[in-house]
Amino acid sequence: MNPLSALWKAAGDFLLFVLNSLYTFTHSYGIAIIVLTILIRILLHPLSHKQLVSMQKMQKLQPRIKILQEKYANDKDTLNKEIMKLYKENNVNPAAGCLPLLVQLPILILLFRVLMNLDLGGATFLGISLEGSVLSTLGEAVGLVAETHGIGQVMSAIAANPAGLANVGVYAANLVLLLAVGFLTWFQQKLSGSSNPQMQFMNWFMPVFLTFICLSLPGGVLLYWGVSSLIGVGQQWHIKRKTEVEMQEKPVLLKEKPQKKEGRQ
């Protein structure tokens, strides 16, 4: 095993140890996952806070950047200098929004893998099957017996036995959690929304796409994602309000284009 794989495995084993330790105290994998999620969010708070602040400031500066682009449309060197000056005046680092995310991704992926591979022994939390996905619980409700539950298999099983959907208690909690995750993803996108038409499209497309992907994710992973997203919404809302106040104190650029110098006769 190479050093990187060994480090990755050691990190996964540590997260698994923490989760099992929390279960020892809480006697509930659901609560253990929630507590672990909160601990992870606290650990990543300095990075995520820096990322969100930078992102919000960048958005607030877009109208002023557009003004600069109009003023210096034919002078790219001056435009770049003025934009960097604007960033400096507002304490904005364009790379700050990306670097913390690159640090967070390995931790988030690792946590997902731990939760997906953990044997929860059929545990549930508030009716949520922590091992079962929305697809597997829907399949169970309509009597589908299979090791894997693809969307095609489940849809065929529903078509063959639609009456099975009356077993709402089998899949309802997982489905509600999935919809909550989709809504929170959409709301986070809305909080960081842009006037750019392409970004507005992504604000709708990404939540729908992620909700589709989450159809096959275990309930434990969805629980983590939902709690983490809920905390993220609260953090983003707070930073958005705070950033709006700070940016209002900055001077507004005048929308004037520089006078063109007359050429020599």
Side-chain angles (χ1 to χ4, degrees):
M1 183 180 293
N2 60 58
L4 185 59
S5 298
L7 180 62
W8 187 258
K9 184 178 185 303
D13 291 341
F14 175 73
L15 277 179
L16 181 60
F17 168 76
V18 173
L19 185 59
N20 285 329
S21 297
L22 291 171
Y23 173 75
T24 301
F25 287 101
T26 63
H27 303 290
S28 167
Y29 271 116
I31 296 177
I33 290 172
I34 291 174
V35 174
L36 179 61
T37 305
I38 294 172
L39 292 176
I40 293 291
R41 293 293 306 196
I42 292 174
L43 178 65
L44 297 179
H45 175 74
L47 295 174
S48 60
H49 179 80
K50 187 175 182 180
Q51 175 192 355
L52 290 172
V53 168
S54 178
M55 181 176 65
Q56 289 294 331
K57 286 187 175 182
M58 288 284 287
Q59 289 176 3
K60 296 300 179 183
L61 290 176
Q62 285 307 306
R64 300 172 68 183
I65 291 175
K66 187 176 181 180
I67 293 172
L68 290 174
Q69 290 172 337
E70 292 177 356
K71 290 177 66 175
Y72 303 105
N74 300 319
D75 191 346
K76 299 298 182 183
D77 290 338
T78 303
L79 174 62
N80 291 333
K81 290 179 181 178
E82 290 296 322
I83 289 178
M84 294 309 298
K85 180 180 178 181
L86 182 62
Y87 287 157
K88 186 175 181 180
E89 289 176 353
N90 291 275
N91 298 317
V92 173
N93 180 0
C98 300
L99 294 179
L101 182 60
L102 294 178
V103 177
Q104 293 181 62
L105 279 177
I107 300 176
L108 298 179
I109 293 172
L110 184 62
L111 183 57
F112 278 145
R113 289 186 61 181
V114 168
L115 291 177
M116 290 181 70
N117 296 322
L118 180 63
D119 181 10
L120 299 175
T124 62
F125 177 71
L126 299 178
I128 301 166
S129 172
L130 299 179
E131 286 185 317
S133 65
V134 171
L135 288 178
S136 66
T137 53
L138 278 170
E140 181 182 349
V142 296
L144 176 62
V145 179
E147 292 184 1
T148 60
H149 295 80
I151 188 169
Q153 289 176 294
V154 174
M155 294 304 294
S156 297
I158 292 174
N161 181 26
L165 293 177
N167 300 318
V168 178
V170 178
Y171 62 86
N174 285 66
L175 182 59
V176 170
L177 178 59
L178 173 65
L179 295 176
V181 169
F183 171 77
L184 289 171
T185 302
W186 169 80
F187 194 63
Q188 282 186 293
Q189 295 285 106
K190 184 176 176 63
L191 285 177
S192 59
S194 169
S195 58
N196 187 315
Q198 292 181 339
M199 290 304 298
Q200 289 181 347
F201 168 76
M202 292 301 294
N203 289 345
W204 285 99
F205 173 76
M206 286 306 296
V208 173
F209 175 73
L210 289 175
T211 300
F212 177 77
I213 295 297
C214 289
L215 283 171
S216 58
L217 291 183
V221 175
L222 288 182
L223 182 61
Y224 157 75
W225 199 330
V227 174
S228 183
S229 296
L230 186 61
I231 296 173
V233 165
Q235 185 181 17
Q236 196 168 342
W237 179 266
H238 172 72
I239 291 174
K240 182 179 176 69
R241 295 285 298 276
K242 184 178 179 181
T243 304
E244 286 176 350
V245 174
E246 291 178 355
M247 297 303 290
Q248 285 175 355
E249 298 174 357
K250 300 294 181 181
V252 178
L253 295 177
L254 297 178
K255 193 172 182 178
E256 297 177 354
K257 294 186 177 181
Q259 298 290 332
K260 292 183 179 180
K261 295 182 180 179
E262 296 183 359
R264 294 182 179 180
Q265 298 292 334

